[in-house]
Amino acid sequence: SDAMITTAGSDQFNGPRMADEYTAMTIGHPTLTPAQRVIESGEFPALYGGTGGGFSQTHGFGPYTLAPGDSVHIVIAEGVDGLDRQLGRELGAQWYANAGPFILPDGNVALGSDPREEFKNEWIFTGRDSLFETLLLAKDNYESGYNIPHPPPPPDEFVVESGGDRISLSWSSNAESWPGFAGYKIYRAKFTPDTTFTEIFACGPSTPNALTNNYDDKKPIRGFDYYYYITSFDDGGTGEELESSRFYTQTNEPAFLRRPPGKSLTDIRVVPNPYNIRARELQYGFSAPDRIMFLNIPPFCTIRIFSERGDLVNTIEHTDGSGDQAWNLITSSQQTVVSGVYIAYIEVTQDYTDPDRAFKKGENHIVKFAVVR
């Protein structure tokens, strides 16, 4: 990948350069793939080929002889499929630990000269079969002029909000006018979006839950990141239930449980205090250069921010049940606040009781903080 032909860029008016590219494109497939050569040689993959840049794959088409006005229409389909990720992890761990018996996809036990390798190869080939099936479906789709049944569209808006004791999800209802629409399914992954997603909720006539446009996920564990996507599905009128793609709505920003509410109003803190714009990289970083946090606040409250002389600067309604609330130092008139001392009047808006804390509607507390610009 760090060879001149890859890094120098293409230039259609550079004859020698184009000749080099054409030569590379027409070499054909190597006898062994890099993975196979690594396996045979026992080399550490990063050392294969003696190049720090690694290797790239290319696609070549042609040769074509085109007269002015002629054109070539090239259609490329990428198929992605294989073993289920969770199953792949389980089978790989079994193979790595050499923990028999090695059960093959057809239910029989591998009994060949090397049962462990037979086990691995047979399962890998089931993934290859899935890949070919996907590519054949793509080919049929193209050759039919894309005249295939379509699932309902996904919600065109999907909102995921982190809270103190839950992660709240809500979505739009645009899919519900689709013929045969039957409901929604929500999937969740833990740690990273590049992992296994598990269905955690479904709603609609064919499910245990009535159709809705919001859901509170109360199962997350504090300290972990979660990712979600929502799909729409139909009633199977075409002979098979069709479901919209995950990639329309899959989140890539983590959701997580926020700080729990404080135990009393006297626990409330403003961080940083003072806020000093010259030290923002030591506070919440350049990604959020103007931000202060109200911490240990009641789960449901109104925060009114006043200037030192009593002018109302902004009002924040805190409704997510958590114990923290960010403010971007912008007034209700969308102006940046100036240097000075500010007063936050925090009033409880909803009774809340659990074994560790109790707040009554109407209780209030005052904190002061400074801004230095």
Side-chain angles (χ1 to χ4, degrees), residues 34-56:
Q36 291 169 328
R37 290 186 60 176
V38 167
I39 291 172
E40 288 200 356
S41 67
E43 282 186 277
F44 186 63
L47 302 178
Y48 166 71
T51 172
F55 290 82
S56 301

Side-chain angles (χ1 to χ4, degrees), residues 8 50 61 66 73 102 116 118 162 195-196 204 208-209 237 248 255-256 266 268 283 304 329 332 343 355 363 368:
F61 303 92
L66 301 178
H73 185 195
F102 295 109
R116 181 171 174 245
E118 180 185 0
S162 301
T195 187
T196 302
N209 304 297
Y248 286 108
F256 46 85
T266 57
I268 297 175
Q283 295 164 166
R304 294 182 176 90
L329 300 182
S332 57
I343 301 164
E363 290 181 331
K368 295 181 179 181

Side-chain angles (χ1 to χ4, degrees), residues 83-103 116 119-120 123-124 195-196 198:
L83 282 176
D84 172 85
R85 180 181 287 265
Q86 186 61 35
L87 182 61
R89 289 178 181 271
E90 294 171 359
L91 297 173
Q94 183 183 354
W95 176 87
Y96 184 78
N98 197 14
F102 295 109
I103 308 300
R116 181 171 174 245
F119 164 80
K120 178 194 70 174
W123 278 106
I124 288 176
T195 187
T196 302
T198 303

Side-chain angles (χ1 to χ4, degrees), residues 202-226:
C203 64
S206 63
T207 73
N209 304 297
L211 187 66
T212 183
N213 296 97
N214 54 74
Y215 173 71
D216 287 338
D217 184 8
K218 299 181 180 180
K219 297 295 181 66
I221 300 172
R222 189 170 304 282
F224 295 96
D225 291 341
Y226 295 88

Side-chain angles (χ1 to χ4, degrees), residues 1-4 6-7 45-57:
S1 294
D2 52 5
M4 181 64 69
T6 307
T7 60
L47 302 178
Y48 166 71
T51 172
F55 290 82
S56 301
Q57 67 173 8

Side-chain angles (χ1 to χ4, degrees), residues 241-311:
E241 180 187 286
L242 299 178
E243 188 175 355
S244 62
S245 171
R246 63 186 275 187
F247 296 107
Y248 286 108
T249 58
Q250 181 178 314
T251 61
N252 289 303
E253 291 295 328
F256 46 85
L257 294 185
R258 301 176 69 179
R259 177 187 294 263
K263 295 185 177 181
S264 71
L265 292 174
T266 57
D267 290 339
I268 297 175
R269 298 289 184 271
V270 178
V271 178
N273 187 12
Y275 170 83
N276 189 333
I277 195 171
R278 295 173 180 81
R280 61 182 181 267
E281 71 275 12
L282 302 177
Q283 295 164 166
Y284 288 108
F286 286 103
S287 62
D290 279 343
R291 176 188 293 174
I292 65 170
M293 297 290 295
F294 297 95
L295 303 180
N296 302 325
I297 60 177
F300 306 100
C301 61
T302 298
I303 304 172
R304 294 182 176 90
I305 302 163
F306 297 88
S307 68
E308 191 174 14
R309 70 176 190 176
D311 297 322

